[in-house]
Amino acid sequence: WGPARAQDTLGLAPALAALVWIAPVWALALRRGVDPLALAGGLARPRGLGGAAALSGALLVGYVLVVAAVARSRGLAPGPVPWAALAAGLGGGLVFVALPEEWFFRGILQPALDGATPPARRALGAPWTRGLVLAALLFGVAHVGHDLLAGLGLRPGRALTALPGLWFGWLRARTGSVWPAVVAHALANAVEEGAHGVWAVPPTGG
């Protein structure tokens, strides 16, 4: 058991983290005789994708413009876009971050927290339910807790991840499927990393 073996084990960490999110819920669904894919909205055919994609694209472009404006106010010039690193990060982030997190928070937790309570209102073509809001808030809390467990200290700004959590929850509610939220989550992480790398601006949530 040398350094090489230890490095190989660390390389499995993302996959193990993904299993921590998905495996318990998957096993519970099977035990109750429920199809785990159907339970999480994994089998539903997404609806309203045109409007969902338009708003999501606008949010991503708006985020980049805000980062650029902050960089300009600090006198920072943009650097090259690391396309290769972003592509690699997008693939890994899709499988090991976006998929397990969205499967848990939007696929399982959001509809579970809805219960039988009817939505208070509809906006942007989707019902804004109790589960949508609570799952997004817990998403932010989970990021703060993750940093504490990882030894990174208390970083309250990480709770701002609840804001994209609302976006992902809206996608789940509007389309009826968890997959648009998974894709949006992966793209959001890639765009954030790319924008902050190009302008060398620290992430707002970090």
Side-chain angles (χ1 to χ4, degrees):
W1 185 275
R5 176 63 65 84
Q7 187 64 35
D8 290 342
T9 303
L10 287 176
L12 294 175
L16 294 176
L19 288 175
V20 167
W21 287 107
I22 293 179
V25 176
W26 193 281
L28 182 61
L30 289 176
R31 186 171 182 178
R32 293 183 174 180
V34 179
D35 187 332
L37 287 171
L39 178 66
L43 295 179
R45 182 176 182 178
R47 59 180 182 269
L49 283 178
L55 179 59
S56 298
L59 289 173
L60 291 173
V61 171
Y63 182 82
V64 173
L65 293 176
V66 169
V67 173
V70 171
R72 191 178 301 111
S73 70
R74 297 180 182 181
L76 299 174
V81 180
W83 293 111
L86 286 178
L90 179 61
L94 180 67
V95 175
F96 298 123
V97 178
L99 175 58
E101 290 188 5
E102 291 309 309
W103 197 275
F104 179 79
F105 284 99
R106 257 59 66 175
I108 301 298
L109 196 59
Q110 181 170 320
L113 291 174
D114 279 342
T117 304
R121 64 180 61 185
R122 292 182 64 89
L124 299 173
W128 286 76
T129 62
R130 177 183 64 185
L132 189 160
V133 176
L134 290 179
L137 293 176
L138 291 173
F139 185 65
V141 171
H143 279 76
V144 175
H146 167 270
D147 288 355
L148 289 173
L149 293 174
L152 300 175
L154 178 62
R155 301 195 293 175
R158 290 279 279 167
L160 292 175
T161 51
L163 296 178
L166 290 173
W167 166 29
F168 305 147
W170 171 78
L171 284 170
R172 170 74 161 97
R174 178 180 174 87
T175 67
S177 170
V178 73
W179 299 115
V182 171
V183 174
H185 190 153
L187 287 174
N189 286 349
V191 167
E192 179 189 27
E193 181 180 351
H196 290 283
V198 167
W199 281 281
V201 179
T204 54

